[in-house]
Amino acid sequence: MVGVAGGARDYPYAFHIALDGNGLNGLEGRAGVCLFRYDPATGDHAYKITYFGGVAGGHAPTVDPARRLGFLGNTGQHLLFYDPATLDEADRVSTLRFAVPDTTIKGSTHLVWLDDTEFVTAIGEHLWRFDVNRLTKAEQLAPHGLKVPHAMKRTASGRYVVFGGMDHPTRGEAREVGVLDTLTGAVRRVELPTTCWHLVPHPVLDVFYALSFRVAPADGTDWQHWGMSYLREYAYEVDAESGRVLRHWSADRDLPAHINSDVTISDRELIFCTGGSHTVVLVDLATLSQHRIIDEHPGALDQWTHARQAAATVTEALARGNVFSNAHLYVGAMKVSRGALLDGIYACQLSADQTLLFTANRGQNHITVYDYPSLELRLRVSMPELQEFDPRLPSWGDPRLGFHHSYLVSPAGPTSPTEGTP
């Protein structure tokens, strides 16, 4: 399923966004990529959208350092590669040939490129090293030591691969992140007070920042059908070499910073977006005490405009857990979302020259470009409905494309603060 808008021309920015369809639980949906191109000098933009058949749970895209091959991480136990210019599928391989996971949410959702062809990802209970020229051959590196490995990044020196961890459907709360030393091959498990799915490395130091992702299990035991917890959130500054927490930021539960997704960073701020609270939160790196917020919370009129999305959110939430025994989770979710029946921003990336911040709002189905550091809105584009790519869907159905994690290819600048801006 493919869609295109905009003429053929060169654009300096290419914003790759993973798509998982219109479900509330992105771990079970479709698998696709939205490629959004932008020229800030003229304001011109274009996009292309592709969904891949036979793959599920599209989650996190990345592009190799040479910008010749894209990867779509997913929860469906596939390694899927695509042409970053056309979105045509380049290759895929089942990871079940290497290991069978103990839960279907355990997939190769993220990877880290070591060079133009080699990468590291998690499969089953181990970290594996691959070469894109020999995808059916792989080197098993070491046990990752986490319940469900998730986001993966490489620190500034390139020596350490750091990765977050999800709660396990049956083994419970994670409260851990991992560190792979690529020189020695050793893996360290770092215990934390809260589960942290997502993280980002410091621009120049072998330090990384892990963001808390606080949920509660349905009926008190089911960690696969979890609900959003109305609890305070954390950001931990962790030294990759020693595994020690150096500093941390803690926000009271009223701060709309719940259920984060993409994390990026500038020379001055830790930047993360929230699917639960509809915000982008920017925390001052110097102090880890001050913060700014971009708020895309939908008002009453916006919610009425997106009534189909809201209806789908309610329906799928009811399908996740018994209303009577999980009433606290439903109330907590409404507190987290500040009454919105939509999900929020899942993608945010900062340009290499730290002048533009790209975001994608899942619930409102739009892409926005902000000036940085002023945070003034530069461009907002409403994206097409999912029905345009799948005629089987009823016109009254949920129209969300399903934005999730993202990766930004931008012109080389004086600094490259994130893995997404080589």
Side-chain angles (χ1 to χ4, degrees):
M1 295 177 285
V2 180
V4 183
R9 51 155 289 184
D10 291 331
Y11 292 84
Y13 292 92
F15 190 33
H16 296 248
I17 314 162
L19 303 175
D20 58 47
N22 57 5
L24 181 61
N25 184 353
L27 302 180
E28 303 291 343
R30 302 164 187 253
V33 174
C34 171
L35 173 59
F36 182 84
R37 297 185 175 98
Y38 179 57
D39 186 343
T42 64
D44 293 341
H45 66 273
Y47 60 82
K48 183 172 185 179
I49 294 166
T50 296
Y51 289 93
F52 302 98
V55 185
H59 195 78
T62 185
V63 177
D64 78 273
R67 303 182 178 182
R68 294 176 299 192
L69 194 63
F71 169 77
L72 176 59
N74 58 85
T75 59
Q77 293 80 49
H78 280 101
L79 300 178
L80 187 142
F81 296 88
Y82 64 91
D83 184 317
T86 66
L87 301 190
D88 294 337
E89 183 174 334
D91 207 347
R92 75 170 75 183
V93 63
S94 168
T95 61
L96 298 180
R97 67 165 55 227
F98 305 107
V100 177
D102 60 357
T103 169
T104 56
I105 69 167
K106 188 180 288 185
S108 301
T109 54
H110 299 73
L111 63 71
V112 164
W113 293 98
L114 302 179
D115 55 32
D116 291 353
T117 63
E118 293 192 331
F119 63 89
V120 171
T121 191
I123 301 174
E125 300 302 315
H126 291 80
L127 297 173
W128 295 73
R129 181 172 182 155
F130 284 83
D131 188 310
V132 295
N133 298 309
R134 299 181 296 277
L135 283 176
T136 58
K137 308 292 182 183
E139 175 189 358
Q140 188 182 97
L141 296 178
H144 52 67
L146 303 192
K147 291 181 175 65
V148 183
H150 199 59
M152 304 184 76
K153 299 292 177 68
R154 200 174 181 188
T155 61
S157 71
R159 175 169 178 172
Y160 301 98
V161 173
V162 296
F163 45 100
M166 297 167 59
D167 304 317
H168 193 283
T170 58
R171 290 158 58 190
E173 193 173 8
R175 299 189 296 110
E176 59 194 7
V177 293
V179 180
L180 165 68
D181 187 330
T182 60
L183 293 184
T184 67
V187 175
R188 181 194 300 272
R189 175 183 175 272
V190 180
E191 187 172 350
L192 295 170
T194 59
T195 292
C196 295
W197 289 26
H198 306 120
L199 41 71
V200 70
H202 188 279
V204 296
L205 304 175
D206 277 344
V207 167
F208 65 97
Y209 299 87
L211 281 296
S212 64
F213 194 100
R214 309 200 70 179
V215 303
D219 294 322
T221 58
D222 185 354
W223 287 91
Q224 182 153 341
H225 296 98
W226 48 264
M228 300 188 292
S229 289
Y230 186 50
L231 299 170
R232 65 179 179 271
E233 298 293 346
Y234 289 82
Y236 307 98
E237 182 183 72
V238 184
D239 177 64
E241 180 180 9
S242 66
R244 291 191 305 113
V245 175
L246 305 178
R247 300 182 297 165
H248 77 278
W249 172 82
S250 182
D252 64 86
R253 68 180 186 175
D254 292 326
L255 182 69
H258 301 275
I259 308 299
N260 55 76
S261 184
D262 268 349
V263 191
T264 185
I265 197 167
S266 72
D267 291 337
R268 68 187 76 181
E269 290 174 307
L270 173 67
I271 305 167
F272 63 94
C273 60
T274 70
S277 296
H278 304 267
T279 62
V280 178
V281 182
L282 305 95
V283 181
D284 175 57
L285 282 178
T287 64
L288 281 194
S289 63
Q290 306 300 315
H291 71 272
R292 303 188 291 161
I293 286 181
I294 297 173
D295 197 344
E296 292 189 11
H297 187 271
L301 180 60
D302 283 331
Q303 291 207 60
W304 177 253
T305 303
H306 297 91
R308 289 178 292 166
Q309 292 96 313
T313 298
V314 172
T315 302
E316 294 211 16
L318 292 173
R320 290 171 70 95
N322 185 292
V323 175
F324 301 102
S325 59
N326 294 287
H328 62 296
L329 295 184
Y330 289 96
V331 173
M334 292 302 291
K335 295 289 285 185
V336 165
S337 70
R338 295 176 287 163
L341 297 177
L342 301 172
D343 38 19
I345 308 170
Y346 274 66
C348 69
Q349 295 294 337
L350 187 66
S351 63
D353 63 2
Q354 302 188 23
T355 62
L356 298 174
L357 182 67
F358 289 72
T359 71
N361 190 307
R362 180 189 180 93
Q364 298 180 61
N365 205 40
H366 62 228
I367 292 173
T368 306
V369 182
Y370 294 93
D371 286 323
Y372 184 86
S374 71
L375 306 185
E376 293 181 4
L377 192 151
R378 173 185 280 261
L379 174 73
R380 174 162 292 163
V381 179
S382 295
M383 300 301 287
E385 298 185 354
L386 182 59
Q387 281 82 350
E388 293 188 21
F389 309 102
D390 189 348
R392 299 171 301 173
L393 296 175
S395 60
W396 46 263
D398 187 344
R400 288 174 294 181
L401 297 175
F403 294 132
H404 218 110
H405 288 294
S406 62
Y407 188 96
L408 179 63
V409 177
S410 60
T415 59
S416 298
T418 74
E419 187 188 21
T421 54

